[in-house]
Amino acid sequence: MIDQILIEQAHQRVASHIHNTPILTNSHINDLVGAEVFFKCENFQKTGSFKARGAINSVLQLSDEQKKKGVATHSSGNHGQALAWAAKMAGVSAYIVMPENAPKVKVAAVKEYGAEVIFCKSTLEARETTLEKVMSEKGCTFIPPYNFDNTICGQATCAKEVFEDLQNLDFLLTPVGGGGLLSGSALSGKYFSSGTKIIGCEPELANDAYESFHSGELQPAKEPITIADGLRTSLGDINFGYIRKHVDDILLCSEEEIVNAQKLIWQRMKIIIEPSSAVPVACLLRHKEHFAKAKIGVIISGGNVDFDV
């Protein structure tokens, strides 16, 4: 079980390596929602997403023997970039298994950080079997993208910063794919802002977290085809345990709503966000009557966009 001390220790461990990212507001969006909305902009984070937090927290806790043999993971992009960066920071080799349809910008970034990319078919089974082969050959340590307490503790530092900067938030919204950010945010909410309701946000076409939360049993992802490529992963069982206990609700949005929300942020806030980051904004707009007159935090999870798509 992750307790308050573990999150505080993680924040102390990673603070000198990451950005305490800015919180931005926009009066037009406030008017659209009928509430006060505060955007925690992890698109300005190292490697362009919140994933840097969990990756560096995990790498910094490796033993000397593990560091010698390197680290590996599977990732559609953001965790791969983050682990490649964290490994470079620590002087450790990194091997990143990526699906063939991963955004080109994310593949290029992984390589630029000095990691070796190994491609596989775009299924979870292919990712896992390819990763097992790499680990067997290299003897390296698997750093999970979300289903791992060290990763979750690192991701929890994002919401911790939100709660340090903003008091009396009514809601905090985050996207949910594998569940690292949502479970970490929920734990930070429990320990640092117990009055804040934590809301997960998910595409209708990748709704395994929604189905799991509302059924009470972990449901596998069913061929997710959403534009939000960072949310195509199945919810982790460790993450689900925390989410079931500490998250207040999970909401859904359509593909059209995701695209419109992404355009809204680009046009009105003049910042680049990826489709996964637009999902909480889309859910907020779809369910705005639920959030009327509230004080709302939204985690913009990343800004790594493939402009060729």
Side-chain angles (χ1 to χ4, degrees), residues 58-286:
S58 297
V59 168
L60 290 175
Q61 295 181 80
L62 293 172
S63 68
D64 289 342
E65 186 62 27
Q66 288 174 316
K67 289 178 180 177
K68 289 178 184 177
K69 295 183 179 180
V71 293
T73 198
H74 61 82
S75 170
S76 61
N78 281 346
H79 177 63
Q81 286 178 239
L83 185 59
W85 164 78
K88 183 178 181 180
M89 293 287 291
V92 173
S93 298
Y95 307 93
I96 313 299
V97 175
M98 303 187 76
E100 294 169 335
N101 62 349
K104 292 178 182 178
V105 64
K106 297 181 180 182
V107 175
V110 169
K111 292 181 178 179
E112 286 169 11
Y113 289 122
E116 182 178 333
V117 174
I118 301 96
F119 289 106
C120 67
K121 298 291 185 182
S122 57
T123 66
L124 182 60
E125 181 183 6
R127 288 188 187 201
E128 291 176 344
T129 55
T130 305
L131 177 64
E132 287 174 6
K133 182 180 178 183
V134 171
M135 291 172 61
S136 176
E137 291 174 354
K138 306 292 184 181
C140 48
T141 299
F142 175 36
I143 305 295
Y146 46 84
N147 205 37
F148 181 45
D149 276 356
N150 287 349
T151 300
I152 295 168
C153 281
Q155 318 309 26
T157 64
C158 181
K160 180 176 181 288
E161 290 174 1
V162 173
F163 298 135
E164 288 171 349
D165 291 340
L166 298 170
Q167 280 68 54
N168 303 314
L169 273 184
D170 296 304
F171 298 95
L172 179 66
L173 278 64
T174 89
V176 54
L181 181 62
L182 180 57
S183 57
S185 298
L187 288 163
S188 280
K190 170 182 169 64
Y191 298 125
F192 306 112
S193 186
S194 60
T196 302
K197 292 183 177 180
I198 309 299
I199 309 295
C201 301
E202 192 172 41
E204 290 174 340
L205 297 183
N207 66 345
D208 60 300
Y210 176 90
E211 295 288 346
S212 299
F213 182 80
H214 289 284
S215 71
E217 295 183 0
L218 188 61
Q219 306 291 325
K222 300 172 184 175
E223 298 183 7
I225 54 174
T226 176
I227 189 178
D229 59 279
L231 307 184
R232 292 174 188 157
T233 50
S234 291
L235 185 65
D237 60 336
I238 296 172
N239 309 100
F240 179 54
Y242 294 128
I243 288 167
R244 184 169 51 181
K245 290 180 182 178
H246 305 300
V247 167
D248 293 279
D249 203 359
I250 294 181
L251 304 176
L252 297 176
C253 58
S254 70
E255 296 298 292
E256 182 180 6
E257 287 168 333
I258 295 169
V259 172
N260 289 338
Q262 186 179 23
K263 287 180 179 178
L264 175 68
I265 298 298
W266 286 25
Q267 291 170 347
R268 290 291 178 168
M269 297 186 69
K270 313 304 180 188
I271 61 174
I272 299 300
I273 70 168
E274 61 190 76
S276 299
S277 297
V279 169
V281 183
C283 288
L284 183 60
L285 292 169
R286 173 188 270 201

